[in-house]
Structure formats: C-alpha cells, structure tokens
Amino acid sequence: MTDSAAASCLIGERNGFCWYHVDDPKGPALDELAAQLGLHELAIEDCRNHRQRAKLEEYDGHLFVIFNSIHFNPEKQECWFGEIDFFVGKNFLVSVREGPTPSRTVAAVLPKFRSDPTMAHPGRLFQSMLDFMADQYLPVLDTVEDRIEQIEEQILENPTPRLLADIFALRRALIDFRRVALAGREAINHLLYRTEPWFRSQQPYFRNIYDHIVRALDFAETYRDILTGVLDVHLSATANHTNEIMKSLTFWATIAIPFLLITGFFGMNFPNLPWLESSLGWMYALLTMIAVGVAMGVYFKYRGWF
C-alpha cells in the first residue's frame, strides 16, 4: 500500500487543514486514511455497509456522522436516498460516498472551499456540506406536491386504478422521506450540543439546518394528510361512478320489464289470444310496449330517479 491511495483522495488543503473525499469505500484509500488519521474500525465498517440512516458517533479524536440526501423519482413515484459518511477531526474532514457518479454535494462545496479561506475549518466545511444536502429536501417535496395536484385534477375527471396506485406509492414515498428526515434531524440535534470549539462556532448554522429539516417534516406530514383526503375523494368518485353505472343499468332493466311481460304473454301457447289472428297484431303489441316504456321513462324522469 502506497501513499498514492490517500494522496489521490486529498481534494482540498489549506493552513494545515485537509479535506479528503473517498468515492470507493471498499478500496485501499479508506484503510490508509484510517491508519493515518486514527479513524475507528467500526466507523470504517459502517462506511462499507451502505444504505444506512443518519447517525452521529463519537470516537477518540474525531466524530463519525452519516447523513442522507433525498431524491424523488417521478416515474416510479418513489423516494430514493443517497448517503455521505463524514469523519470530522480538528484538522481534517473525510467524506465518504459510494457511487459511480460524482457527488453533487462535493461538486457544489469544493469551489467555495477553494475560493474562501474561511472554509478551511472542520465545522464550517462540514455544515456547508450538510446544508447543501438538507436544502434538497424541500425541492423533493415540491415535486411530490406537483404530482399530488396532478392526481387531484385527474381524479375528478376519471378515477382510475392507476391513480389509486400512484396515491399509495406517494404515501409510501412520504413515509420513507419522513423516516430518513427524522434520523437526519436527530443527528443535527446532537451536533447542536457539541462542545468542541470548531462546532460551537457553527451552532447557528447547524440550527438553521435543523430548522430546514423540521420544516420539511412539517410539509411531509401536510402532504400525507392531503393524500389521505385525495384517497377519500378517489374512493368517493369511484363509488359515485359505480352508482351512476348501476342507475343506468337499473333504468334500462326496468324499462325492459314491460317488453318481457308483453312478449311473454303473447308467446303463450293458447288459442284466442288478443290480436292473435290479426295481420297487424305484431304492430299493436309493439306500439303497446313502446308506449308503456315511454310512459315509465317519463315517470322516472318526473320523479328525478334518472
């Protein structure tokens, strides 16, 4: 193992402060950084077990923090979650992310680090990255809100089973969102009570991140309530649509009763039935059936039954 593995992960350095970013937690670079910076083996193991919820753990000389980014897939109507693991020490920050694509968080914060000397600070850099990740929560919910509005409009026009499936998918997405955001809120809450000087100086900014997450959670709860109402509307619209169909079928079935009675009467195998010998008997029977059907239809319309 050579120095090149860890050196290749050094993306920012200023005034003795180093920022390392690892894209492959299973590679040798993380092991080398662990030996060089004294990172705890349990935290290294957590980095390699992907898909974990946010948490904060304290080790000798550094903190280990997991924080989640949240994304929404409009086609599948589901949330999916990214993860960045942080090792924060007095003179270093190590960010670990697994994935084939570059981290949007690192891409957004790295230019600030290079242009602003005050970013060479563990608390400042750390909170900037957390702030960028938490700022994506509300846009995700905005996308969910747009989809809810589309569903509301479509339900009033044509409540279909597809819309019902979308409603349940959105509810599951909001439940997943809430579960991940709650874990993130608790992790940020622990940071608010850290006594290290580099964290205490950034407490107002961590509090701002905390407020953003709380606001996102409030919106998620609101949208869940709205979806519950949308579900009730869908069920009511479906029931009303079914009732209209049954009303139409019942109307025509009732109108057909006189036709069945009259044709059944003249179809009996008895002599001397009315109009049986008349050449116009079929017309008289047909006119009678039409007259009775029309009379029944007018009566139903008058009573408001159809």
Side-chain angles (χ1 to χ4, degrees):
M1 198 177 297
T2 65
D3 294 338
S4 61
S8 64
C9 297
L10 181 62
I11 61 174
E13 183 178 9
R14 182 184 283 118
N15 299 328
F17 176 82
C18 297
W19 177 14
Y20 299 91
H21 180 71
V22 180
D23 281 318
D24 181 15
K26 297 180 181 178
L30 189 58
D31 291 324
E32 187 172 337
L33 287 173
Q36 178 181 326
L37 302 174
L39 308 181
H40 200 277
E41 59 181 349
L42 292 179
I44 299 299
E45 182 180 347
D46 284 339
C47 289
R48 288 170 173 162
N49 294 327
H50 202 53
R51 303 292 294 176
Q52 298 191 61
R53 284 188 288 173
K55 66 176 182 178
L56 182 149
E57 294 180 352
E58 181 178 3
Y59 296 104
D60 186 22
H62 65 276
L63 289 181
F64 175 65
V65 180
I66 297 177
F67 199 75
N68 299 109
S69 58
I70 303 180
H71 313 272
F72 181 71
N73 188 331
E75 296 181 358
K76 296 183 178 180
Q77 312 286 342
E78 64 181 14
C79 285
W80 61 277
F81 311 97
E83 173 189 327
I84 298 183
D85 306 325
F86 299 93
F87 296 90
V88 188
K90 182 178 180 180
N91 297 314
F92 67 87
L93 183 143
V94 180
S95 54
V96 182
R97 173 185 175 272
E98 182 177 6
T101 59
S103 169
R104 291 193 303 167
T105 303
V106 173
V109 178
L110 185 57
K112 299 179 182 179
F113 181 87
R114 291 172 175 170
S115 61
D116 185 359
T118 63
M119 291 289 289
H121 182 281
R124 182 73 182 274
L125 176 59
F126 182 45
Q127 71 83 18
S128 295
M129 297 184 72
L130 294 183
D131 184 58
F132 180 84
M133 296 173 72
D135 282 345
Q136 308 308 309
Y137 286 14
L138 287 179
V140 167
L141 292 176
D142 290 340
T143 305
V144 173
E145 181 186 18
D146 293 339
R147 182 56 187 146
I148 292 175
E149 292 177 353
Q150 294 175 2
I151 291 177
E152 286 178 325
E153 295 175 357
Q154 294 172 2
I155 279 179
L156 296 178
E157 298 175 358
N158 183 25
T160 62
R162 171 66 182 177
L163 291 178
L164 184 61
D166 288 347
I167 292 173
F168 284 115
L170 286 175
R171 290 186 67 181
R172 286 193 300 269
L174 288 174
I175 291 173
D176 292 338
F177 180 99
R178 185 174 184 274
R179 184 177 65 250
V180 173
L182 280 174
R185 186 189 67 179
E186 291 306 310
I188 299 298
N189 184 55
H190 289 312
L191 288 172
L192 293 176
Y193 298 97
R194 302 301 305 177
T195 58
E196 294 88 342
W198 54 88
F199 282 126
R200 292 181 60 186
S201 63
Q202 300 300 313
Q203 282 186 356
Y205 300 99
F206 286 122
R207 190 175 299 110
N208 183 59
I209 298 173
Y210 182 88
D211 292 340
H212 285 177
I213 298 177
V214 170
R215 184 182 178 193
L217 284 168
D218 289 340
F219 277 116
E221 285 296 321
T222 300
Y223 295 152
R224 282 183 61 191
D225 293 339
I226 292 175
L227 275 176
T228 300
V230 172
L231 177 60
D232 292 338
V233 171
H234 183 279
L235 296 177
S236 298
T238 302
N240 291 336
H241 184 63
T242 302
N243 289 338
E244 290 297 323
I245 294 175
M246 293 304 299
K247 182 188 292 186
S248 297
L249 293 176
T250 302
F251 172 81
W252 292 111
T254 304
I255 293 296
I257 290 176
F259 291 74
L260 297 176
L261 289 175
I262 294 174
T263 55
F265 176 79
F266 284 100
M268 292 188 299
N269 191 20
F270 292 105
N272 301 323
L273 289 175
W275 308 327
L276 190 62
E277 303 297 332
S278 174
S279 61
L280 297 177
W282 65 273
M283 183 178 295
Y284 298 147
L286 179 61
L287 291 175
T288 301
M289 288 186 288
I290 294 175
V292 173
V294 171
M296 292 179 64
V298 171
Y299 177 74
F300 292 159
K301 190 70 174 179
Y302 173 76
R303 296 298 300 270
W305 295 349
F306 183 76

